[in-house]
Amino acid sequence: LAYFVTAMMDEGAGPLDAVAFQERAQALAMRMNFDASRDVLLGNVQTLTENKDEVFDLVRLALTEPRFDADAIERVRAQILAGLKFDENDPGTVASLAWDRLAFGDHPYGRPIKGTRTSIASFSRDDLQDYVARVFARDKLVISVVGDIDAETLGKVLDHVFGGLPLHSSLAPVADAEPPLGPTREIIEMDVPQSVAQFGHRGIARKDDDFMAAYVLNYIIGGGGFASRLMEEVREKRGLAYSVHSHLFPYQHGAVFVGNVATKNEAVGQSLDVIQSELKRLAEQGPTAEELE
């Protein structure tokens, strides 16, 4: 539902229908986009200084008076459904969704951010309006501003853009997830020439005292591109895969360490063996002094 709402944010607001809103935004050379992720809903706007007053007023309308016209809803719904259909045939997306399901189970983190074809098809205009009424509020709002604007002017802008939002949101509490440490493996067969494997386990919270050490360690193992150990061992030395990398995702309710490798089908098994071997070696021996430096 959040994802659907973000796709509707430039589809008309206040007196402007979708066409009028987008034509005005284009004439002002403004950039506005919204995105939904596991823990936050993000909005971003960029404007030329000379157009800022009109641009900020469009943003205010989008946040406080979204129209959710029926024709726009059905057009966006069709776009999202087409994207979900495409994702069903994309090995990387299929692997990612499967890993989330295995790691998080029935926890909300186990749900696909873009929804499913069933859920997207079921949402009504009332659902979109209800989401905005419950979630768009000032108590959870975090704002960062960079550019050609002084504090006094910015204060007035913020009051104008966000002042009409309710003070309090109505967010459902989210329990903490405890992703398993494994081992679990699921194989999904697809008739494609290349395979994608996603691997990982429970991670480390962003506010943990050891997070920055873990960040450096992840850079060494798989987050540093061609400087990382996995890239060196899997791609450079053995030529098993075009790409292999890892990340720390410190979600608010369940941090994870996640990596990916993409390779030709016949090299998947050997690639995973090398990855597991390198993770085990790093766990037992730590990084070398040269890697740390």
Side-chain angles (χ1 to χ4, degrees):
L1 181 56
Y3 182 78
F4 202 144
V5 168
T6 63
M8 292 292 300
M9 294 304 293
D10 63 349
E11 293 288 341
L16 305 175
D17 64 13
V19 173
F21 189 98
Q22 293 177 14
E23 285 181 346
R24 192 64 199 135
Q26 187 173 13
L28 293 168
M30 68 177 284
R31 294 180 181 176
M32 184 181 74
N33 57 74
F34 289 80
D35 191 25
S37 66
R38 284 196 168 85
D39 290 323
V40 294
L41 186 143
L42 296 167
N44 177 273
V45 62
Q46 291 177 278
T47 177
L48 299 170
T49 300
E50 62 200 57
N51 295 339
K52 68 179 185 304
D53 291 341
E54 286 187 80
V55 166
F56 289 145
D57 199 52
L58 281 183
V59 177
R60 178 189 65 82
L61 286 175
L63 290 171
T64 59
E65 299 180 44
R67 289 170 62 111
F68 298 134
D69 292 331
D71 59 338
I73 289 175
E74 295 312 315
R75 175 164 39 79
V76 171
R77 191 196 310 274
Q79 293 169 353
I80 296 175
L81 290 173
L84 291 175
K85 179 65 175 176
F86 178 86
D87 287 346
E88 290 174 1
N89 297 294
D90 177 64
T93 303
V94 172
S96 177
L97 293 175
W99 194 91
D100 291 343
R101 173 173 45 79
L102 289 172
F104 296 114
D106 293 333
H107 190 274
Y109 285 166
R111 303 174 192 162
I113 291 174
K114 295 181 181 180
T116 65
R117 286 201 273 173
T118 299
S119 65
I120 292 298
S122 72
F123 292 136
S124 67
R125 182 174 188 267
D126 288 344
D127 293 322
L128 301 178
Q129 290 178 314
D130 177 66
Y131 179 89
V132 169
R134 288 186 292 107
V135 177
F136 285 17
R138 286 176 282 154
D139 59 335
K140 301 295 185 184
L141 192 61
V142 177
I143 304 169
S144 61
V145 182
V146 179
D148 180 24
I149 191 166
D150 59 74
E152 182 179 358
T153 304
L154 176 61
K156 297 175 182 177
V157 167
L158 297 182
D159 286 344
H160 175 66
V161 173
F162 301 104
L165 293 174
L167 176 57
H168 296 291
S169 56
S170 178
L171 301 177
V174 179
D176 289 340
E178 293 190 0
L181 292 171
T184 303
R185 180 174 291 186
E186 179 176 308
I187 298 171
I188 299 172
E189 293 189 14
M190 299 178 67
D191 186 17
V192 292
Q194 189 179 54
S195 292
V196 175
Q198 182 156 314
F199 56 90
H201 51 64
R202 196 177 305 170
I204 187 167
R206 180 63 182 85
K207 292 185 178 181
D208 192 293
D209 290 342
D210 288 331
F211 179 82
M212 293 314 301
Y215 185 89
V216 173
L217 191 65
N218 177 66
Y219 191 93
I220 291 170
I221 189 65
F226 283 95
S228 70
R229 187 183 288 192
L230 290 182
M231 188 70 85
E232 174 70 17
E233 296 294 332
V234 177
R235 172 175 166 154
E236 297 303 306
K237 287 186 178 180
R238 296 171 176 84
L240 292 172
Y242 177 75
S243 66
V244 57
H245 47 85
S246 65
H247 308 272
L248 295 177
F249 293 118
Y251 301 130
Q252 290 181 20
H253 301 286
V256 288
F257 162 78
V258 177
N260 299 81
V261 60
T263 185
K264 54 188 178 182
N265 293 336
E266 56 267 29
V268 175
Q270 189 179 355
S271 297
L272 290 177
D273 287 344
V274 173
I275 291 168
Q276 287 185 276
S277 175
E278 288 305 315
L279 290 173
K280 185 173 186 292
R281 183 162 71 93
L282 188 69
E284 293 175 349
Q285 302 175 17
T288 66
E290 181 181 3
E291 287 175 321
L292 181 57
E293 184 60 29

